[in-house]
Amino acid sequence: MKSAVETLNPTRVRLSIEVPFEELKDSLDAAYKKINQQVTVKGFRKGKIPARIIDQRFGRGAVLEEAVNDALPKFYTDAVNEAELNVLGQPEVDITELKDGETLNFTAEVDIRPAIEIPDYSGIEVEVDAVEVTEEDVDKSVEQLQERFASTSPVERAAEDGDVVTIDLEAKVEGEVLEDGVASGVSYTIGSGELLEGIDEAVKGLEAGGEATFTSELKGGSAEGKEAEVTVKVTQVAARELPALDDEFAQLASEFDTLDELRADSRKRLENMKQYDQATQAQERVLEKLLELVEVPVPEKLLEDEVQTRKHNLEHHQLGQMGLDIEKYLEIQGKTVEEFDAETREQAVKGIKTQFVLDELVNKEKLNVNQEELTEHLMRRAASSNMSPDQFAQAVVEGGQVPMLVGEVARGKALAVVVESATVKDTNGEVVDLEDDEDETEATEAAAESTDSAEEKTEA
């Protein structure tokens, strides 16, 4: 076999492959054997039909077609390995010449990973939000905990903001009561915004037994999106009572003995959360700076496939779980189809570039992934997928996605290397010291998030 490589552009090549006919012998033998098992000829036992009889009865062309289809993947793979190409996706194959007994010539056009030059990234500087926890932040945190321990008791007065009312609802569209538009004994906290628009104004000021009618757009059910006339009747008004913020409350709501200890713990938790957000922010901004430094050509077919994959996942998985279609989603987001398409394409380009650059860094820095790192990443991915680690691991193995997870961890480590060499300052001008362990964990997640949906194609 002889092969030659022609570079069509930085991300696509054409392989021209010449195969002497004698190298097709194994595939021809396999073709005759396969046809032998599929056909019957009177006078011959199944599987014992001579080749000349198969040629006469079914045509030499059918045998050649079967043999060539069997042989092409091997010769293509050999040519790719010989040229040391890092191919992406499936090739477009064209048989240019097939002479029985002489030669097989074909071409294969395929996308390849572009050659990327990683420049010196040690000078990257980014700014992140400072970690600042105010007394107001602590107050709000403690108040949220206080809300969880609130109790309710019926009152004989008009409903006010924050009260919990028990209500009956009836919705009519064009004067007809909807079959699924009637509900009784619904508990609703005024001001929570958890039911229909306009209900807060309707029930405020009503006592038990009071009734009001208002118009609202239905959020679900058989008449979703339609304007309905809704009648609401209040059957009970209950006031929410908050426990006093004192040492007794601290003992009730936590493992602490005093309110001061509870507040100190709340402050620490808020600081940890903001430090996590700060580290994630550093990952994202360092990555953006890194991508600005590197010229990365993007294969057009890979990009188009990635755009379609993102759209499919949004429409058929994410929106489907929320009971939305793409039109309703765009309406909620306040975007046109053109704006959505442009945004999706931009995200796809960034995802592909991120993977290419970080993969090159993995090779340049000779980074490896050990079993402990892979296991930790698998457990985090399982948690984010609402699956047990065992269930997630089984799905990954059955789907042949272990290399994908290894790639995510490796890219995370590559990004951590860049973050470690960068200068990160907060908005107060102070240099931020990101702890190594947290850096690596969050870098893994940041890299994985940017490249998840591009992964399957580029690993193909």
Side-chain angles (χ1 to χ4, degrees), residues 15 23 34 37 132 256 266 341 344 346 381 418 427:
L15 289 161
E23 293 188 30
K34 182 176 180 180
Q37 300 300 322
E132 295 177 345
F256 302 107
S266 296
D341 287 345
T344 303
E346 182 181 343
R381 288 291 303 273
V418 182
T427 48

Side-chain angles (χ1 to χ4, degrees), residues 7 9-13 76 80 83-89 110-117 295-300 302 351-363 403-404 407-408 411 451 454-460:
T7 300
N9 61 49
T11 63
R12 195 166 179 82
V13 297
Y76 165 72
V80 166
E84 298 181 343
L85 297 176
N86 200 336
V87 298
L88 302 170
V110 66
D111 287 332
I112 60 170
R113 280 180 179 262
I116 298 173
E117 191 67 38
E295 186 67 31
V296 185
V298 175
E300 191 59 34
L302 178 65
I352 293 171
K353 285 185 174 183
T354 296
Q355 182 167 341
F356 284 172
V357 170
L358 294 182
D359 282 347
E360 185 63 29
L361 266 168
V362 169
N363 294 330
M404 183 186 76
E408 290 176 1
R411 282 187 281 279
T451 61
E455 182 111 339
E456 292 182 8
K457 300 183 185 61
T458 50
E459 290 290 339

Side-chain angles (χ1 to χ4, degrees), residues 376-387:
E376 288 178 359
H377 183 59
L378 184 147
M379 292 180 70
R380 286 194 297 273
R381 288 291 303 273
S384 65
S385 302
N386 294 320
M387 298 171 69

Side-chain angles (χ1 to χ4, degrees), residues 22 30 41 74 91 96 107 126 132 154 156 189 192 198 216 224 231 248 298 306 325 367-368 372 374 408 414 424 443:
E22 56 266 23
V41 175
K74 175 186 180 301
T96 55
T107 62
V126 297
E132 295 177 345
E156 295 183 3
T189 301
S192 66
S216 183
E224 179 182 3
T231 300
E248 186 176 336
V298 175
E306 172 64 8
D325 57 23
L367 301 174
N368 296 311
E372 183 181 354
L374 182 60
E408 290 176 1
V424 181

